[in-house]
Amino acid sequence: MSMLEHVKLMAGYNEWMNTRLYEAASALPETEIFADKGAFFGSLYGTLNHIRLGDVIWLKRFATLAAYPALDEVRAMPAPDGFDQRSGDFGELRALRARLDAIIRQWAGEISEADLGLVLRYRSVNGMQFAREFGASLMHFFNHQTHHRGQATTLLSQAGIDMGPTDLVVLVPNAA
């Protein structure tokens, strides 16, 4: 599998898991979604919102690398000033998540092999400057989502909701 095929696989996995995660979370009362459970971002909402904020921050950085048409909508979004800004109620967050996942899927098809080796220059939310390879930064982008979705599935499990299989291998094509 080429790196570009892997990027598309990760974009599909991201959308698949987020759809399932939000569907599972919607079975809970909103008070439970917002309840502080002692997680790193407090609540299930806080965890899901953190993933959204991280995605917007990284997508805005990636949008500076090339003229990816799929990222035009992200370019127009206000830049988050941190990793814990709230984004409305659960329904609003869910709608924004679905929109971001569609953008990510479309954008994954616009990335070229040559792009992967480009240097991405950006500032962190606290102002530090970085210059990192785009391909490696892109893998971090997907890994960040996966890491925090693991925290969210733990919170759902503690609330009595079984997510079922969550592993990427479920979507890896069978070579047989």
Side-chain angles (χ1 to χ4, degrees):
M1 176 179 294
S2 75
M3 179 71 152
L4 288 179
E5 289 170 330
H6 185 69
V7 168
K8 291 175 188 172
L9 175 66
M10 292 304 294
Y13 173 64
N14 172 63
E15 185 175 47
W16 176 70
M17 275 301 303
N18 284 331
T19 299
R20 293 178 60 231
L21 192 59
Y22 277 79
E23 182 63 29
S26 70
L28 296 171
E30 196 149 312
T31 55
E32 183 72 12
I33 293 169
F34 279 88
D36 189 337
K37 300 294 184 177
F40 195 78
F41 294 98
S43 64
L44 178 58
Y45 177 93
T47 303
L48 297 174
N49 188 56
H50 171 78
I51 298 168
R52 188 263 318 168
L53 289 165
D55 282 3
V56 172
I57 288 168
W58 277 103
L59 289 170
K60 288 180 96 46
R61 291 171 183 164
F62 297 149
T64 68
L65 195 62
Y68 301 114
L71 297 183
D72 287 346
E73 189 176 338
V74 174
R75 284 183 190 93
M77 291 177 181
D81 61 10
F83 290 103
D84 59 0
Q85 287 175 240
R86 295 237 165 185
S87 179
D89 66 16
F90 180 71
E92 291 168 312
L93 183 61
R94 186 178 189 180
L96 183 52
R97 176 75 268 158
R99 186 66 200 126
L100 284 172
D101 289 343
I103 289 168
I104 293 165
R105 276 294 288 263
Q106 182 181 348
W107 171 59
E110 295 174 355
I111 299 168
S112 73
E113 190 72 40
D115 292 346
L116 297 173
L118 294 174
V119 174
L120 175 68
R121 298 179 191 286
Y122 65 92
R123 287 186 186 273
S124 66
V125 292
N126 64 4
M128 295 176 59
Q129 292 186 359
F130 294 93
R132 295 201 167 118
E133 184 187 64
F134 170 59
S137 298
L138 185 55
M139 291 302 100
H140 165 74
F141 170 74
F142 287 119
N143 187 61
H144 178 261
Q145 297 166 0
T146 302
H147 167 70
H148 290 297
R149 277 194 304 262
Q151 294 171 335
T153 59
T154 297
L155 292 169
L156 286 168
S157 178
Q158 290 170 351
I161 296 176
D162 180 5
M163 282 291 299
T166 61
D167 292 327
L168 170 65
V169 75
V170 173
L171 298 184
V172 173
N174 190 342

